[in-house]
């Protein structure tokens, strides 16, 4: 592979890249991309790892004369390396990094204006729901929360004001699968933007841009970072005009991640494929073990052959991941609490996607901002428990669940 100087997006700033960013997507197989995406030796020293450019500003030789970097809210080389990596791993042209997943979502909704309408799923991440209902409704944006399990359900809610479809698949926490291709096909006919929250699947398992989505959103806090040590978000897109609008919002609203955090996510991405392989293997073993358990009423995991949208999951995903939810037969908060406080390897905590296993109670934790009545209506029962299966030994994890739930 020949490294040659290539001008990057910032005029006058050269990086040493194999070719151009986009062409990297074409000739690298996924496992190579996760290692080499955005990784170019530092132009001034040859350092193989992207330096943490811990600076707020850049010296100019004359007013306006600079190397493409003016002020670190607008540009930072560590962030730029990460943003290039994000684009490559999602098969997109442009990546933008944000201070959190919610900040990335916030930027997407700020593309809209008062009077615009959004169609969103009815069992999505609680913080997204809170942002939509408690912040953006106030500004006159209208949201419809619907069951997207059949993509055709969307048709009923489309009108001339519909500007965005927001979808999550697999959904959180019920692991429903939405047919991305069917939704983007419907949306394209009406010129509606589609943004997919791809946090649960990660780019290792699913690439929504390839299925026609306009924007992919990530909470990089989860699988991309992978080590529960950073809060960050990302947007990836193909359309240069959309990139300009979102870049404008990124720098104008200012929710940018610091260079140290960008470095951590860049480092996380390098092992994404290895971690995801184990998340998937462990996830499958645990989902099947839970399903045969006498104290468990139901298990939600998209890899079950009788999952209502199994065929869609199989078509649009390369594996089923390590996120699993289940309900206890004795459906009460007290019973759930008993299990939640007895696991030893599974730590009781919000969040997901790290190397260590976590256990969570949506009703009182991640989805507590959704009123009970609304929550039950959307199928989130009191005893629903969500697991983020880590990359430990599967046998140890099963033993831990067994001592907490009881014998099969
Ligand atoms: C965590 C999460 C978010 C929010 O991301 P933050 O990084 O916590 O701001 C959005 N969507 C999903 C699916 C998540 O799991």
């Amino acid at each position: 592979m020949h490294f040659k100087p290539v001008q990057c997006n910032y005029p006058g700033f050269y990086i040493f890249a194999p070719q151009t960013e986009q062409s990297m997507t074409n000739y690298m197989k996924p496992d190579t991309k996760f290692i080499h995406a955005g990784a170019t030796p530092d132009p001034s020293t040859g350092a193989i790892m992207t330096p943490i450019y811990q600076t707020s500003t850049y010296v100019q030789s004359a007013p306006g004369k600079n190397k493409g970097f003016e002020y670190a809210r607008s540009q930072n080389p560590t962030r730029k390396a990460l943003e290039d990596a994000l684009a490559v791993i999602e098969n997109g042209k442009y990546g933008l990094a944000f201070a959190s997943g919610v900040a990335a979502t916030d930027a997407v909704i700020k593309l809209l204006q008062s009077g615009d309408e959004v169609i969103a799923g009815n069992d999505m991440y609680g913080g997204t729901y809170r942002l939509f209902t408690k912040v953006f409704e106030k500004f006159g944006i209208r949201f419809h929360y619907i069951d997207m399990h059949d993509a055709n359900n969307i048709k009923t809610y489309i009108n001339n004001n519909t500007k965005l479809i927001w979808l999550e698949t697999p959904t959180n926490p019920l692991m429903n699968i939405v047919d991305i291709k069917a939704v983007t096909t419907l949306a394209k006919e009406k010129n509606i933007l589609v943004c997919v929250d791809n946090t649960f699947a990660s780019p290792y398992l699913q690439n929504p841009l390839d299925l026609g989505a306009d924007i992919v959103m990530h909470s990089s806090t989860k699988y991309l970072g992978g080590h529960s040590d950073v809060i960050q978000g990302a947007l990836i897109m193909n359309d240069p005009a959309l990139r300009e609008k979102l870049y404008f919002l990124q720098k104008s609203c200012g929710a940018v991640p610091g260079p140290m955090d960008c470095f951590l996510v860049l480092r996380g991405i390098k092992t994404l494929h290895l971690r995801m392989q184990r998340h998937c293997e462990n996830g499958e073993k645990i989902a099947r073990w839970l399903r045969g358990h006498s104290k468990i009423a139901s298990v939600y995991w998209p890899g079950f052959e009788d999952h209502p949208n199994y065929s869609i999951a199989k078509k649009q995903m390369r594996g089923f991941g390590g996120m699993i939810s289940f309900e206890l037969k004795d459906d009460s908060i007290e019973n759930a609490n008993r299990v939640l406080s007895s696991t030893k390897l599974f730590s009781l905590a919000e969040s997901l996607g790290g190397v260590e296993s976590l256990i969570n109670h949506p009703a009182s934790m991640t989805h507590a901002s959704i009123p009970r009545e609304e929550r039950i209506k959307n199928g989130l029962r009191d005893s629903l428990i969500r697991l983020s299966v880590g990359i430990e030994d599967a046998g140890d994890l099963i033993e831990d669940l067994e001592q907490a739930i009881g014998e099969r």
Side-chain angles (χ1 to χ4, degrees):
M1 190 183 293
H2 299 287
F3 286 90
K4 56 175 188 186
V6 171
Q7 192 165 12
C8 71
N9 286 354
Y10 304 114
F13 184 75
Y14 287 86
I15 53 173
F16 287 81
Q19 287 174 32
T20 60
E21 291 150 33
Q22 275 88 306
S23 66
M24 285 175 78
T25 333
N26 301 332
Y27 77 83
M28 283 184 192
K29 301 214 171 50
D31 286 8
T32 309
K33 275 197 230 171
F34 291 116
I35 312 285
H36 290 280
T40 50
D42 176 49
S44 53
T45 63
I48 190 160
M49 281 300 120
T50 307
I52 300 162
Y53 284 88
Q54 195 73 51
T55 189
S56 61
T57 192
Y58 309 87
V59 176
Q60 315 201 358
S61 55
K65 210 163 166 226
N66 55 61
K67 295 185 188 311
F69 296 87
E70 291 158 345
Y71 183 63
R73 175 157 34 74
S74 307
Q75 312 98 355
N76 178 285
T78 318
R79 194 172 92 213
K80 160 84 177 126
L82 170 63
E83 291 177 336
D84 289 350
L86 290 166
V88 171
I89 64 175
E90 272 295 5
N91 298 343
K93 291 208 171 89
Y94 309 100
L96 291 170
F98 289 83
S100 68
V102 162
T105 304
D106 175 83
V108 175
I109 306 303
K110 282 177 179 158
L111 292 168
L112 310 179
Q113 46 195 355
S114 177
D116 287 349
E117 297 190 13
V118 179
I119 300 174
N122 66 358
D123 64 338
M124 56 183 185
Y125 178 69
T128 305
Y129 178 81
R130 180 175 60 196
L131 177 70
F132 290 178
T133 52
K134 298 274 165 64
V135 179
F136 282 109
E137 267 178 23
K138 259 189 345 207
F139 294 104
I141 295 170
R142 219 173 140 212
F143 297 88
H144 303 275
Y145 305 98
I146 70 163
D147 176 359
M148 293 195 182
H149 145 264
D150 178 353
N152 286 313
N153 291 350
I154 292 173
K155 283 186 187 159
T156 326
Y157 295 88
I158 292 181
N159 61 43
N160 291 337
N161 296 326
T162 312
K163 295 290 154 57
L164 175 73
I165 297 173
W166 182 275
L167 62 93
E168 228 178 277
T169 178
T171 64
N172 180 10
L174 290 178
M175 313 301 153
N176 284 318
I177 297 292
V178 182
D179 188 337
I180 301 175
K181 181 95 204 192
V183 172
T184 60
T185 307
L186 265 175
K188 277 197 180 24
E189 284 167 23
K190 311 265 180 192
N191 260 328
I192 300 168
L193 283 179
V194 176
C195 181
V196 178
D197 179 340
N198 203 28
T199 301
F200 266 40
S202 90
Y204 179 74
L205 298 180
Q206 174 173 283
N207 300 115
L209 295 179
D210 291 345
L211 302 167
D214 300 286
I215 308 170
V216 169
M217 174 264 165
H218 278 284
S219 167
S220 319
T221 311
K222 316 295 168 54
Y223 287 108
L224 295 183
H227 296 76
S228 308
D229 53 9
V230 63
I231 294 282
Q232 203 173 117
L235 298 176
I236 300 102
M237 62 244 88
N238 277 319
D239 176 18
L242 193 54
R243 189 260 172 201
E244 279 319 301
K245 285 183 197 165
L246 289 164
Y247 170 63
F248 176 82
L249 289 164
Q250 183 197 38
K251 72 173 180 193
S252 306
C253 303
V256 291
M260 176 70 193
D261 286 355
C262 291
F263 171 83
L264 287 172
V265 174
L266 258 176
R267 178 148 98 162
I269 288 171
K270 289 184 196 296
T271 54
L272 181 69
H273 54 304
L274 290 178
R275 288 185 281 110
M276 288 311 295
Q277 281 163 21
R278 181 63 81 83
H279 284 299
C280 289
E281 281 168 28
N282 284 358
E284 167 148 22
K285 285 181 191 155
I286 290 173
R288 296 197 189 280
W289 180 84
L290 286 167
R291 197 172 218 199
H293 200 290
S294 59
K295 293 198 168 61
I296 289 174
S298 35
V299 183
Y300 302 93
W301 179 67
F304 287 131
E305 295 72 7
D306 58 356
H307 181 289
N309 275 345
Y310 175 71
S311 60
I312 297 165
K314 236 186 132 139
K315 197 176 63 183
Q316 71 189 16
M317 300 175 77
R318 288 179 281 266
F320 305 109
M323 297 303 299
I324 303 167
S325 295
F326 61 94
E327 285 156 7
L328 301 167
K329 279 193 181 149
D330 171 4
D331 179 44
S332 65
I333 291 202
E334 296 70 45
N335 194 33
N337 280 343
R338 186 185 56 78
V339 173
L340 290 155
S341 47
S342 334
T343 53
K344 297 192 169 71
L345 285 177
F346 281 87
S347 303
L348 178 60
E350 305 214 1
S351 198
L352 62 111
V355 291
E356 65 289 303
S357 292
L358 300 181
I359 191 165
N360 167 292
H361 188 224
S364 58
M365 298 167 73
T366 44
H367 292 64
S369 52
I370 303 177
R372 182 168 189 273
E373 197 183 318
E374 182 89 355
R375 171 167 66 70
I376 303 276
K377 206 175 77 197
N378 295 338
L380 272 73
R381 304 235 191 124
D382 289 334
S383 76
L384 187 79
I385 291 175
R386 191 189 80 181
L387 301 178
S388 169
V389 176
I391 62 173
E392 302 96 330
D393 179 89
D396 283 349
L397 294 176
I398 287 175
E399 217 170 274
D400 188 35
L401 290 171
E402 182 153 48
Q403 62 81 25
I405 301 169
E407 300 251 326
R408 283 227 303 185

